């Protein structure tokens, strides 16, 4: 069995891109479980992952492709939470998406995707998103 952690941010388009990329993966054993996760950094409304539109978009696409899906939420530093969740779940792959940013923008604002790629001990599938 293959266990994939698909970490979504607040953009439905990026979540769709990630889910489609994961659904297109061809794993030898044919049995894949995907955990769609989101790290809330500012959740004043108290929404849960099942109410979060990007997570629903990803879940629906994956389920339409016959993939078993679980939803997971946490709060805190997104990169740390994603890497930690992948470790706890003993995931085989982490899937993240990124937005187009200049090198200066990455330096000033940071990049969750870049940090996950650098800190993860398992492969990371990066899905670039162009606007």
């Amino acid at each position: 069995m293959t266990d994939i952690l698909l970490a979504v941010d607040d953009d439905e388009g990026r979540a769709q891109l990630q889910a489609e990329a994961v659904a297109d993966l061809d794993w030898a054993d044919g049995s894949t479980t995907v955990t769609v996760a989101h790290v809330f950094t500012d959740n004043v409304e108290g929404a849960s992952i099942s109410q979060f539109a990007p997570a629903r978009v990803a879940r629906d696409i994956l389920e339409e492709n016959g993939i078993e899906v679980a939803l997971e939420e946490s709060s805190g530093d997104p990169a740390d939470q994603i890497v930690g969740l992948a470790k706890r779940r003993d995931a085989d792959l982490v899937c993240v998406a990124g937005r187009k940013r200049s090198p200066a923008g990455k330096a000033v604002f940071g990049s969750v995707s870049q940090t996950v790629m650098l800190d993860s001990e398992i492969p990371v599938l990066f899905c670039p998103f162009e606007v």
Side-chain angles (χ1 to χ4, degrees):
M1 174 183 288
T2 302
D3 190 4
I4 298 173
L5 176 63
L6 191 154
V8 297
D9 63 10
D10 59 357
D11 186 277
E12 292 176 45
R14 286 191 291 270
Q16 177 180 347
L17 176 74
Q18 289 175 267
E20 290 170 349
V22 167
D24 285 343
L25 293 174
D26 184 22
W27 296 96
D29 65 9
S31 156
T32 302
T33 301
V34 176
T35 300
V36 176
H38 178 70
V39 180
F40 289 99
T41 54
D42 186 22
N43 187 12
V44 292
E45 289 107 21
S48 73
I49 185 88
S50 61
Q51 299 169 311
F52 190 61
R56 289 194 319 263
V57 165
R59 179 198 60 206
D60 292 348
I61 291 168
L62 294 165
E63 287 179 344
E64 287 169 8
N65 284 277
I67 298 171
E68 184 180 329
V69 179
L71 299 176
E72 179 104 15
E73 65 186 74
S74 64
S75 60
D77 177 74
D80 289 345
Q81 291 294 316
I82 292 165
V83 170
L85 180 57
K87 229 180 243 191
R88 287 190 302 279
R89 293 197 58 85
D90 196 25
D92 300 297
L93 177 76
V94 176
C95 178
V96 294
R99 63 192 92 183
K100 187 171 183 163
R101 265 200 190 149
S102 69
K106 287 180 191 172
V108 173
F109 301 111
S111 170
V112 171
S113 297
Q114 182 177 6
T115 302
V116 170
M117 287 187 280
L118 293 171
D119 292 351
S120 179
E121 296 175 4
I122 60 172
V124 176
L125 173 63
F126 177 75
C127 300
F129 186 75
E130 298 290 327
V131 232

